[in-house]
Each structure stands twice: as C-alpha cells, then as structure tokens.
Amino acid sequence: MSTETAYVKPLTFASLGECVEVRSIKSTKPELLHFLENLGFVEGSHVRVAADNQGNLIVEIKGSRVALDKSVAARISVVSITE
C-alpha cells in the first residue's frame, strides 16, 4: 500500500467505495475528538466510503458502519490508499 504520492483531502472529498487512511482530525472540541476516537477514527486507521448522501457519509471502519454528518466528515483529513 502506498500513500507517499497521495495528497491530503477532507473525508467528504473521498469517492464512493474509496479506501482512505486517516491522517488527522481538526477540532477544538475535545468531546468530538474523543467520540471519533472511540469509533476508531485515529491516525492511520483505514476507512471505506460506503454511501454518500449530499456530503453526509456512511463509512466502514473497523468492521462497522458509521454515519457521519458532512460537517464532521470535513474535519477528518485522509489520503487515498491502494489495497
């Protein structure tokens, strides 16, 4: 898997079915960071976009499906990966 030439983008820019790796989460709210961490959104975790409804996403992470509001998904920086 190679992420060296990939560019960092918000999760909202990932394509349907695309597998991405979390690089960072931007938030000043500790409760949001803790919530996302408990769902598995930590640096290096792999996520696949399962559905996109006007920017609101359903993603697969650590064997579970999670719904994310587009404002939350936009705070998660990712890079494309090849598996």
Side-chain angles (χ1 to χ4, degrees), residues 8-29:
V8 178
K9 60 187 175 187
L11 182 55
T12 52
F13 285 17
S15 303
L16 184 62
E18 183 178 6
C19 292
V20 296
E21 181 179 303
V22 175
R23 283 295 171 94
S24 66
I25 300 171
K26 298 172 180 71
S27 178
T28 58
K29 298 179 181 179

